[in-house]
Amino acid sequence: MLEKAYRIKKNSDFQFIYKKGKSVANRQFVVYTKPNKDLEHFRLGISVSKKLGNAVVRNRIKRAIRENFKIHKEDIIPIDIVVIARQPAKDMDTLQIQASLEHVLKIAKVFNKRV
């Protein structure tokens, strides 16, 4: 589980990142990023629409996304990140979700140079 300090919860924070941040996408995910000067770590917001499925499906996708960020916790620069799941994500297993998410995060350049 990611600690509270790593989460974006407020709607106003989400809206600010949507408006001022940069976005990159692949078929399964859209990732919005906004530099974060105040904190020394990243913050993560996750959005999974009800159109993707019932609560079980949505929570499975969110767990897989959170797990991926937990694995790469040390490798991510201090930045605000919002991940939006798209329709194809609902048919993927955890490893496929992680591979797809890593792909889009590399495009977004959120990793330190080590990765």
Side-chain angles (χ1 to χ4, degrees):
M1 190 78 192
L2 282 172
E3 296 96 61
K4 247 187 183 146
Y6 287 83
R7 292 191 216 139
I8 299 172
K9 284 290 207 183
K10 290 184 188 162
N11 184 35
S12 58
D13 288 346
F14 275 90
Q15 296 306 322
F16 183 70
I17 294 166
Y18 291 146
K19 285 188 180 72
K20 303 282 186 201
K22 299 206 178 338
S23 71
V24 293
N26 62 9
R27 294 207 40 225
Q28 294 84 15
F29 299 102
V30 180
V31 174
Y32 284 87
T33 56
K34 172 104 181 54
N36 187 339
K37 310 260 188 295
D38 304 335
L39 299 170
E40 62 277 351
H41 58 78
F42 70 91
R43 292 191 314 156
L44 174 65
I46 302 173
S47 175
V48 183
S49 169
K50 284 187 176 181
K51 291 178 184 173
L52 261 63
N54 62 16
V56 174
V57 172
R58 295 194 310 269
N59 286 332
R60 184 180 55 77
I61 293 169
K62 287 189 269 190
R63 276 197 306 274
I65 293 170
R66 267 190 234 107
E67 181 62 28
N68 192 47
F69 277 89
K70 208 161 77 175
I71 291 168
H72 294 295
K73 193 173 180 180
E74 303 301 318
D75 304 322
I76 297 175
I77 59 176
I79 194 167
D80 286 347
I81 304 166
V82 174
V83 177
I84 303 170
R86 287 180 162 175
Q87 199 68 32
K90 74 170 194 262
D91 301 321
M92 298 166 74
D93 65 30
T94 304
L95 290 175
Q96 290 172 319
I97 287 173
Q98 288 183 0
S100 176
L101 198 54
E102 283 176 26
H103 169 257
V104 78
L105 290 173
K106 280 180 183 154
I107 296 169
K109 295 182 172 74
V110 301
F111 289 119
N112 290 329
K113 298 291 180 228
R114 302 186 291 217
V115 178

